[in-house]
Amino acid sequence: MADKKKKDVIRLERESVIPVLKPKLIMTLANLIEHGSDRAEFLKLCKRVEYTIRAWYLLQFEDLMQLYSLFDPIHGDKKLQQQNLSSDEIDVLEQNFLSYLFEVMDKSNFKITTDDEIDVALSGQYLLNLPITVDESKLDKKLLKRYFEEHSHENLPDFADKYIIFRRGIGIDRTTDYFIMVKVDMIIARLWALLLRLTGLERLLCRSSSMRHKKDPTKMDDNISVAESDDLHVERIRIENMELSIHNLLSKITIQEPTFDRIIVVYRRASTQGKSERGIYVKHFKNIPMADMEIVLPEKKNPGLTPMDWVKFLVSAVLGLVAVVGSLDMPKADIWVIIAILSTLIGYCAKTYFTFQQNLAAYQNLITQSMYDKQLDSGKGTLLHLCDDVIQQEVKEVIISFFILMEQGKATRQDLDIRCEELIKEEFGESCNFDVDDAVEKLEKFGIVARDSVGRFYCVSLKRANEIIGTTTEELVLKAKQGANTP
């Protein structure tokens, strides 16, 4: 049976990030091991894996933090002056910092947001109903342009020379309210669409818009069902698509919008005549609704009435003026008709103005909320968070891969990938695009996984794995502390 109403569903690629906390992952897998001795060896292995991976990245992360200290927007200028570096030397250092940053972003499973993804995200409205644009004159256009000239990336967005938006993870945000003014806007929009259809103007507008229309690559095709596709499908529930009824208009309704679980924005402000700007801003946000992505944009312009609002004002004024003049030219001008026309015109203009004021208040509230609730951190705090993210993801990938080989035996690269994804789905109810290549690379680097004559991967025993990795510095420190505390 066909659906009565077509759902607004967007299709997104599954993320590589494993959405399970590391302690929960380790304890759940440990509890699946039958023998207590093996369980103890597995827990020891997990600790040694984490300690070793942390040591591998220590020097790289220290270099990243040292470089950022020179480009910190607050204290970076003073440190650069102390170094007494030339402009060319500073250019090299900032490009080195960006190289480290982009590498950490990749290891943390962050992706650069493309134009197509942004078009899909902003194709609807959620809580923000004002057009928000970036004041590009306040943003530097050299830093990122120079980086991408030396490091090619596919599907870069149009604004990549001014700022970059990284995103990771998908969630759902729901809001329940009456949405009185939004419902009024929806009714007016539908009446306006009906008027365009009746006057034949709709075909003219559709013809011009079809010239600019592009196929949306992340929208779900009509002939692809949710069950048939391996991607993630998320439904949008929007007011403009709701069914008109007295109950929906007078009662609270719930709208739904997919969110980007994490967003990181990187940019530099433009230099002024009196000062050369070297600071690099790195801002970290959480749970940002896709349709409200504008709230994370840097250097936003103050919103105003849209061109469509001004067109409506002018059209309404012209129509009202024509109606009033026409009424006055009649032999017997009806004063009540004139009053009714003027009242309607004034009421419509007042409605547009107050709707704008309400949207402006909502925008200011969202901006405040993004600063206090949705902004996780910025600058050095964001980089520390990213460094820990890299370690956590690498550890989880290695542990899951080793556990599968230990419990289920030899596997090809493809089989290992599928088994790891099935384990995450069955034990934790989560889906991800497991990065088996990175996991296998780390396991071979540890020396606890090898390949047989036909290329299948197999692991050594738990006890042998712990012997190969050996006692870590952290374990020696902990043992020394315990010995010092023993009376």
Side-chain angles (χ1 to χ4, degrees):
M1 188 171 68
D3 292 334
K4 293 181 180 179
K5 194 174 187 63
K6 186 177 179 180
K7 292 183 177 180
D8 185 0
V9 179
I10 59 176
R11 186 177 73 236
L12 300 160
E13 291 183 3
R14 287 191 302 158
E15 301 279 330
S16 296
V17 63
I18 301 173
V20 183
L21 292 175
K22 185 195 66 187
K24 180 181 179 181
L25 174 75
I26 292 174
M27 293 312 301
T28 300
L29 297 183
N31 290 331
L32 295 176
I33 300 174
E34 290 186 23
H35 302 292
S37 58
D38 289 341
R39 194 178 302 122
E41 288 288 341
F42 178 75
L43 293 173
K44 182 194 292 185
L45 177 66
C46 292
K47 289 182 179 179
R48 289 186 173 182
V49 164
E50 180 173 359
Y51 294 152
T52 306
I53 289 177
R54 195 175 292 276
W56 286 348
Y57 283 107
L58 179 62
L59 292 178
Q60 182 181 345
F61 292 161
E62 283 187 352
D63 288 343
L64 175 69
M65 302 308 294
Q66 286 292 331
L67 284 170
Y68 182 72
S69 68
L70 301 175
F71 306 108
D72 184 338
I74 300 175
H75 304 294
D77 282 346
K78 293 180 180 178
K79 293 189 176 182
L80 282 175
Q81 290 173 5
Q82 293 172 2
Q83 297 287 336
N84 197 25
L85 299 170
S86 67
S87 179
D88 290 339
E89 289 173 329
I90 295 175
D91 289 343
V92 171
L93 289 176
E94 67 186 18
Q95 291 303 310
N96 289 343
F97 166 72
L98 288 179
S99 297
Y100 278 125
L101 177 63
F102 276 71
E103 185 178 347
V104 170
M105 288 289 188
D106 182 58
K107 290 290 185 181
S108 296
N109 300 117
F110 276 89
K111 295 180 180 179
I112 296 176
T113 308
T114 65
D115 281 329
D116 288 334
E117 290 171 341
I118 290 176
D119 288 343
V120 172
L122 302 182
S123 62
Q125 290 183 338
Y126 188 53
L127 300 180
L128 182 61
N129 296 305
L130 286 174
I132 307 301
T133 56
V134 173
D135 188 347
E136 296 185 357
S137 65
K138 294 183 178 180
L139 293 173
D140 174 78
K141 301 178 179 64
K142 298 178 182 177
L143 173 69
L144 291 169
K145 182 180 179 181
R146 191 182 306 121
Y147 175 80
F148 288 121
E149 285 175 351
E150 298 175 4
H151 305 81
S152 61
H153 282 70
E154 294 182 356
N155 299 323
L156 283 174
D158 293 336
F159 51 78
D161 60 329
K162 295 173 281 292
Y163 59 94
I164 282 292
I165 299 176
F166 293 91
R167 55 96 177 167
R168 188 186 74 185
I170 303 296
I172 295 290
D173 187 77
R174 295 181 179 89
T175 303
T176 301
D177 207 338
Y178 287 103
F179 300 108
I180 300 298
M181 295 303 295
V182 182
K183 291 176 183 177
V184 171
D185 278 345
M186 177 199 66
I187 294 172
I188 293 174
R190 293 190 183 184
L191 291 174
W192 181 264
L194 177 62
L195 177 63
L196 291 178
R197 280 198 299 270
L198 294 176
T199 57
L201 293 174
E202 183 185 37
R203 273 175 283 178
L204 179 62
L205 294 174
C206 287
R207 190 178 300 116
S208 62
S209 63
S210 64
M211 300 287 290
R212 303 186 303 267
H213 179 69
K214 293 191 297 183
K215 181 174 174 60
D216 200 340
T218 53
K219 284 277 189 179
M220 188 169 69
D221 295 332
D222 294 338
N223 58 350
I224 299 177
S225 67
V226 174
E228 292 172 340
S229 175
D230 194 38
D231 291 335
L232 176 67
H233 297 85
V234 186
E235 181 185 1
R236 276 176 160 167
I237 301 176
R238 301 186 290 174
I239 294 177
E240 53 261 42
N241 294 335
M242 80 174 191
E243 184 180 345
L244 273 179
S245 67
I246 299 299
H247 178 266
N248 283 340
L249 292 175
L250 299 181
S251 62
K252 287 186 177 182
I253 60 171
T254 298
I255 57 177
Q256 175 177 294
E257 177 71 14
T259 64
F260 289 124
D261 187 55
R262 294 290 184 269
I263 281 182
I264 291 178
V265 184
V266 180
Y267 66 98
R268 167 182 282 170
R269 288 179 177 169
S271 299
T272 59
Q273 291 182 350
K275 180 184 178 184
S276 177
E277 183 65 53
R278 287 289 186 174
I280 299 176
Y281 291 83
V282 183
K283 296 189 176 181
H284 193 185
F285 301 87
K286 66 174 182 177
N287 303 329
I288 301 297
M290 290 185 180
D292 293 346
M293 261 188 67
E294 300 100 321
I295 63 177
V296 306
L297 295 177
E299 303 300 330
K300 294 177 282 292
K301 293 181 181 179
N302 290 326
L305 289 173
T306 65
M308 180 56 71
D309 289 331
W310 287 111
V311 168
K312 290 178 181 178
F313 267 128
L314 293 174
V315 170
S316 301
V318 170
L319 292 177
L321 182 62
V322 170
V324 170
V325 171
S327 299
L328 292 174
D329 287 342
M330 294 176 64
K332 293 183 179 180
D334 191 341
I335 188 64
W336 294 109
V337 172
I338 297 174
I339 291 175
I341 293 172
L342 291 175
S343 298
T344 303
L345 176 62
I346 294 171
Y348 179 78
C349 293
K351 177 262 167 193
T352 303
Y353 173 77
F354 286 119
T355 298
F356 168 74
Q357 289 297 323
Q358 185 188 44
N359 289 338
L360 183 60
Y363 164 74
Q364 292 169 343
N365 182 55
L366 281 173
I367 294 298
T368 303
Q369 186 182 24
S370 71
M371 291 296 293
Y372 291 97
D373 297 337
K374 294 187 178 294
Q375 184 168 337
L376 285 175
D377 216 324
S378 63
K380 187 176 180 180
T382 296
L383 298 181
L384 290 171
H385 188 89
L386 282 172
C387 293
D388 187 63
D389 264 358
V390 171
I391 294 169
Q392 299 301 313
Q393 289 301 313
E394 300 269 300
V395 170
K396 287 186 282 187
E397 288 171 359
V398 168
I399 290 172
I400 291 174
S401 301
F402 186 88
F403 180 86
I404 288 294
L405 292 173
M406 177 184 71
E407 291 292 312
Q408 300 183 18
K410 296 181 179 180
T412 63
R413 187 182 299 268
Q414 184 178 1
D415 288 340
L416 181 60
D417 187 26
I418 294 171
R419 291 177 189 178
C420 290
E421 290 178 2
E422 288 176 347
L423 175 70
I424 296 170
K425 184 68 175 177
E426 291 170 4
E427 295 297 330
F428 306 101
E430 300 284 357
S431 296
C432 76
N433 182 19
F434 191 80
D435 191 354
V436 68
D437 293 334
D438 192 41
V440 166
E441 181 185 341
K442 294 291 185 299
L443 286 168
E444 289 183 319
K445 188 175 180 180
F446 273 115
I448 58 178
V449 161
R451 308 186 198 195
D452 63 13
S453 57
V454 294
R456 293 179 302 176
F457 295 98
Y458 67 92
C459 68
V460 300
S461 67
L462 279 170
K463 188 172 183 180
R464 179 60 184 151
N466 278 318
E467 290 174 354
I468 291 172
I469 295 176
T471 305
T472 62
T473 304
E474 287 82 358
E475 288 177 288
L476 293 174
V477 171
L478 289 172
K479 189 175 181 180
K481 280 187 176 181
Q482 290 172 355
N485 293 332
T486 303

